[in-house]
Amino acid sequence: GECAEPEAATPAMGSRPAGDELSRDPTLRMWLARCCVMCDKAQQAWEIYLKIEGTQDSFAMLQLLANDCYRAGAFLVAAKAFEALERLDPSPEYWEGKRGACVGVFQQIVGGQQRKEDVREVLGLLKATRNPQGEYLTRVMKKWGRDKNVNL
């Protein structure tokens, strides 16, 4: 289908020789990550980011992942991307994105669309925030976990 080419290209990105221009082209990486997100492969897009973490292109990749994953409903990856952005730039915009993505993950967990164990990762992301709203969300999620016998 539409996602066959990006899926085939993703593993190749990491296995190409260092001198291969395509594997180092930031535009190609951004588009490949975007294709992965749009094809419900947000974790693969996150792995593309991890390969360039700390480079001059990583901030733009984080912004793309945060916003595209949020729009696509891949809230766990969006939350991780917003968390990384918030650490780099404590803009309220990144906290608001992370908060919305964390609530989105929680909603998916409650609705059975996401693994219950993922609430632990969300709690870790919220713990890293100084915003008092993070504490409130943490309390709500922990109470839900206790009520549902989820080991947190």
Side-chain angles (χ1 to χ4, degrees):
E2 294 176 355
C3 297
E5 263 185 74
E7 285 180 18
T10 302
M13 289 295 289
S15 63
R16 292 186 179 172
D20 188 319
E21 288 302 312
L22 285 178
S23 67
R24 294 186 299 164
D25 181 2
T27 305
L28 177 65
R29 285 183 185 265
M30 298 278 277
W31 275 105
L32 185 56
R34 175 168 271 168
C35 289
C36 288
V37 170
M38 297 306 154
C39 291
D40 293 325
K41 304 286 184 188
Q43 187 57 42
Q44 281 183 311
W46 183 252
E47 289 165 15
I48 293 170
Y49 160 72
L50 292 176
K51 290 176 184 171
I52 65 163
E53 187 176 20
T55 67
Q56 65 184 20
D57 301 315
S58 63
F59 193 81
M61 177 69 85
L62 282 171
Q63 289 179 314
L64 177 128
L65 288 176
N67 292 302
D68 281 5
C69 287
Y70 195 99
R71 274 192 295 273
F75 294 117
L76 187 56
V77 174
K80 291 192 288 189
F82 278 120
E83 163 65 20
L85 287 166
E86 186 183 33
R87 274 181 299 174
L88 295 169
D89 176 8
S91 165
E93 175 184 318
Y94 298 136
W95 157 247
E96 291 167 9
K98 182 170 84 169
R99 178 188 62 198
C102 287
V103 170
V105 175
F106 186 59
Q107 185 177 17
Q108 289 175 334
I109 292 168
V110 170
Q113 299 164 323
Q114 190 87 15
R115 299 175 323 130
K116 289 181 181 180
E117 295 77 22
D118 289 337
V119 78
R120 280 189 226 111
E121 190 166 0
V122 172
L123 290 171
L125 295 171
L126 290 170
K127 186 178 183 180
T129 299
R130 296 185 191 124
N131 191 304
Q133 293 175 357
E135 294 174 24
Y136 174 74
L137 292 172
T138 298
R139 282 195 309 271
V140 168
M141 291 179 191
K142 284 183 174 181
K143 181 183 180 322
W144 174 86
R146 281 191 304 275
D147 293 347
K148 298 295 181 184
N149 294 319
V150 177
N151 186 15
L152 303 175

